Amino acid sequence: MAAAPNAGYAYDYSERFPAVARLVLALDGALWVMVYPEVLSPIGSTQLLSPLGTVANPLGALWRVLDDTGAVLGELRTPPGFFALENGHDYLLGVTLDSLDVETVVLYDIIKDEMDDGL
């Protein structure tokens, strides 16, 4: 374990982290699995579970989409700072925060790769 100094205190952080950060069941029955982000600095669980929390990974969240048998339909990465609220077969609805922590509702179309016959 590594100790990270903070305001004169030292904290111990685990070397192991969960594989999954969030699970979201989409309206079409697909299971969206948010891969736990690479830990670039110590984070709290509220940073992953709350729209008001900061996103630890500057690359955004990586999601694996599974069908009802557990087969992987595909993967996609959401933009940094985006918090998914509703997932559909061809769209993703969520919120982002600006520099003043003002929420904005965002709707993304999911454009499927022609080579990908799943997602």
Side-chain angles (χ1 to χ4, degrees):
M1 289 191 203
N6 187 355
Y9 298 97
Y11 299 96
D12 291 331
Y13 295 100
S14 177
E15 294 177 8
R16 296 185 187 125
F17 294 92
V20 174
R22 289 182 62 208
L23 297 173
V24 178
L25 185 60
L27 297 176
D28 64 359
L31 180 65
W32 288 57
V33 179
M34 181 177 151
V35 176
Y36 200 89
E38 177 184 352
V39 178
L40 304 175
S41 63
I43 60 173
S45 61
T46 58
Q47 292 174 292
L48 297 172
L49 300 177
S50 169
L52 299 177
T54 56
V55 175
N57 190 338
L59 300 175
L62 177 62
W63 294 85
R64 289 195 180 103
V65 184
L66 311 175
D67 69 11
D68 58 358
T69 69
V72 176
L73 297 175
E75 290 186 344
L76 62 90
R77 187 174 293 276
T78 54
F82 177 79
F83 185 82
L85 296 173
E86 181 177 303
N87 308 21
H89 185 69
D90 60 353
Y91 72 93
L92 187 56
L93 179 68
V95 295
T96 60
L97 296 175
D98 66 13
S99 61
L100 298 174
D101 287 340
V102 175
E103 291 184 1
T104 301
V105 176
V106 180
L107 178 65
Y108 289 106
D109 290 325
I110 297 174
I111 300 171
K112 300 174 178 111
D113 185 346
E114 291 179 23
M115 298 298 290
D116 183 8
D117 57 357
L119 179 65

